[in-house]
Amino acid sequence: MAACIFCKIIRGDIPSFKLLETDRVFAFLDIQPLSRGHALVIPKHHGAKLTDIPDDQLQEILPVTKRIARAVGAVDYNVLQNNGRIAHQVVDHVHFHMIPKPTEHEGLGIAWPAADADKGSLQRLLEEIKAKM
C-alpha cells in the first residue's frame, strides 16, 4: 500500500534500523523503544489486522521474533500484536513487538483486570467459537 509507513520502510523509501529481512518478513528496531532491543517484526504482505494476512505470510513471524529475543539477550520479554484503534494499534499494518522486560520499570507495563468467569458461560462460549472454527 503506497501510503503505509511500514510498506515504505519495506521498500526502502524510509530508512530503518533493519535487523533482518526475508521474502516474507521485515524486522527492525523500534524508533520509540520501551526498552533496549525493542523490535518490530512485520509481514511484508500489507494488511491492517491479523485476520487480513494470509496464513502462509505469517509462518516466519514467531521464529524471527524468537531469533531477535535471543540475539538481544532478553530473558523476560513481551510479544505484543494489536488489532484496531481501541486495542492500541497505531499503524495500520500488522506488526509484532518484541519488547525486552529487563526490570519492573523498563519495557511494557500492563494492567490485567482479570475476573473469575462463570463456568456455564465459558462452556457456551466454547461451543459457539468451536462451531465457527
Side-chain angles (χ1 to χ4, degrees):
M1 185 160 225
C4 172
I5 191 167
F6 285 172
C7 290
K8 289 178 180 180
I9 288 171
I10 291 166
R11 287 193 309 266
D13 297 343
I14 296 176
S16 69
F17 294 93
K18 180 170 60 173
L19 293 166
L20 184 141
E21 182 176 7
T22 71
D23 290 341
R24 296 179 178 170
V25 172
F26 194 98
F28 55 101
L29 292 175
D30 195 306
I31 61 170
Q32 295 179 315
L34 296 181
S35 59
R36 183 180 182 276
H38 179 171
L40 296 173
V41 181
I42 65 175
K44 286 185 171 181
H45 182 96
H46 178 83
K49 295 184 178 181
L50 186 61
T51 51
D52 297 332
I53 307 295
D55 290 348
D56 67 318
Q57 299 299 310
L58 294 168
Q59 292 174 351
E60 296 179 26
I61 295 286
L62 289 179
V64 167
T65 304
K66 184 169 78 171
R67 273 179 76 184
I68 294 168
R70 283 185 174 152
V72 167
V75 175
D76 298 315
Y77 55 93
N78 296 93
V79 175
L80 176 68
Q81 199 277 316
N82 302 322
N83 294 276
R85 291 292 179 266
I86 64 171
H88 308 287
Q89 183 180 12
V90 176
V91 177
D92 290 329
H93 185 119
V94 169
H95 54 287
F96 292 73
H97 293 262
M98 193 293 297
I99 309 167
K101 185 74 174 156
T103 69
E104 188 66 33
H105 303 288
E106 293 177 87
L108 184 64
I110 297 177
W112 199 283
D116 290 332
D118 172 69
K119 302 302 186 246
S121 294
L122 281 179
Q123 184 62 43
R124 287 187 296 280
L125 178 59
L126 171 71
E127 292 166 10
E128 177 187 331
I129 294 170
K130 286 177 75 172
K132 294 176 182 177
M133 291 177 62

